[in-house]
Amino acid sequence: MNKLVLLAAASLALAQMAHAADIKKGEELVNKGGCIACHGAGLDKPIAPNYPKLAGQYQSYLFHAMQQYQAKHQTPLYGRNNAIMSGMVAQYDTQDLQDIAAYIASLKGDLYIRNEMH
């Protein structure tokens, strides 16, 4: 029985590693996507007061927010309605969104107030 438990734990660990967010890839996607054009250098200096500061936000919040922008056209109950953001995130798959969220969460800005355990 112990071997079965160890095998299950090892399988779970490998699955999580396979889908772990890649901060470096997230940085590349953010740079390629031109996020600084609206959210500013360091993603903490938005060009307009109604654009959010992103640096230091929780990874899970960022990920789900981007998913909601993608889902805008699928369900009005879940989706966020912003034509710019919907267009920006439409090109990314779930892993890309995880990578982007991990990178942005790793940035320090005015909102960075914790040492989140993963």
Side-chain angles (χ1 to χ4, degrees):
M1 183 100 151
N2 283 340
K3 289 181 182 180
L4 184 59
V5 171
L6 288 174
L7 181 60
S11 295
L12 180 60
L14 286 173
Q16 288 175 337
M17 286 176 28
H19 297 291
D22 182 338
I23 290 175
K24 184 67 178 161
K25 183 177 177 206
E27 180 180 16
E28 292 169 6
L29 293 169
V30 164
N31 290 334
K32 182 180 174 185
C35 301
I36 66 169
C38 293
H39 296 285
L43 303 181
D44 64 348
K45 296 169 192 68
I47 64 167
N50 59 328
Y51 292 176
K53 291 181 180 184
L54 300 178
Q57 293 274 9
Y58 286 103
Q59 181 177 341
S60 60
Y61 170 79
L62 293 163
F63 172 72
H64 290 292
M66 288 185 288
Q67 277 193 320
Q68 289 175 330
Y69 286 120
Q70 283 184 333
K72 173 193 167 268
H73 301 291
Q74 297 169 10
T75 170
L77 297 176
Y78 178 74
R80 291 183 179 211
N81 189 6
N82 180 289
I84 295 170
M85 281 302 300
S86 292
M88 294 301 295
V89 299
Q91 63 188 314
Y92 300 119
D93 64 24
T94 301
Q95 185 62 52
D96 290 339
L97 296 182
Q98 287 285 9
D99 296 340
I100 292 167
Y103 169 67
I104 295 171
S106 76
L107 299 175
K108 293 192 173 39
D110 294 349
L111 303 174
Y112 190 85
I113 56 172
R114 87 266 172 229
N115 183 6
E116 186 176 351
M117 294 179 57
H118 295 272

